[in-house]
Amino acid sequence: MSELHKFLFEGLPVRGCIVRLTDAWTEILQRRASNNETGAYPAAVSRMLGEMAAAGVLMQSNIKFNGALVLQIFGDGPVKVAVAEVQSDLSLRVTAKVMGDVADDASLSQLVNVNNQGRCAITLDPREKLPGQQPYQGVVPLFGDQREKLEKLSDVLQHYMLQSEQLDTTLVLAADDKVAAGLLIQRMPLEGEGNLAGTQRANEDEIGVNEDYNRIATLAASLKREELLSLDVDTVLRRLFWQEPVQRLEHSTPRFACSCSRERVMQMIRGLGVEEAESILSEREDIEVGCDFCGRQYRFDAVDAAQIFMSRNDQPPGSATVQ
């Protein structure tokens, strides 16, 4: 089963987590492959989405956010948008809109950043919003400080974490057609004792210079793609950090889940308006909407569409038949 494990380095300002998506990831790929409208993802797109899924789970588990963490990449390549959504219970789903041919060995920039216009957005959408509260979103480009194209999703997200949280982060990501996996190492902020004492130090949080973090990050970065995909969690941690004081914490089980529903699709159709719905029905027998995440198909005939646009008081009693 898919698994996520969290750990600390005792006495050091460093934490980590490692994820292996197995059954959750293969279900996502199987659902896409069985969709007659789209077919399977190209291999390069599948690898990118797998890395996004693993990264989304790592980031969601690290912040313990009560809501959805949505990781999006969009740009000017054949992949117009790619999305990984992870809920607070670590249920996840992913999708991508692909237009045109994609080579099996296509790089990140060839997929979404051909003209260096690609962007990565991370949105935190609270489950229970306060009045007037909007989701938080941070956006970074898919290039580095010298406008060089970044070819690893891990580099993009490390740059994002440093900008948004001012915390050093090391990410190792990998995916194939069976496993999507990731390792995250992060320096934790200091306790702020200088602030409590009325004094402050330059670079209070030791950004980029904490020796313990730098040592552990170097070990983590040595993990090869093949090792991350093929080795179990215990073996990875033992090989990398056998000389470090690793304290294992709780583990969780990520899973695939989709939040689409017939009611949500009805709201979408209602948003199109009566004229647009009638125009579609004049050309075909029903309005058909497919979920990009799970592949489920929703169909609404003329009677269904009429009920969507009726006021609630005018609607007939609901049928006991399960849709």
Side-chain angles (χ1 to χ4, degrees), residues 167-192:
L167 290 178
D168 295 310
T169 303
T170 297
L171 266 172
V172 184
L173 301 169
D176 59 16
D177 60 350
K178 296 180 177 62
V179 181
L183 170 66
L184 180 147
I185 298 295
Q186 191 169 65
R187 178 188 51 77
M188 296 187 291
L190 302 180
E191 294 297 330

Side-chain angles (χ1 to χ4, degrees), residues 284-299:
R284 50 191 303 171
E285 293 182 356
D286 53 29
I287 300 173
E288 183 176 354
V289 180
C291 176
D292 288 338
F293 288 96
C294 69
R296 185 176 179 182
Q297 299 293 312
Y298 296 90
R299 292 180 174 84

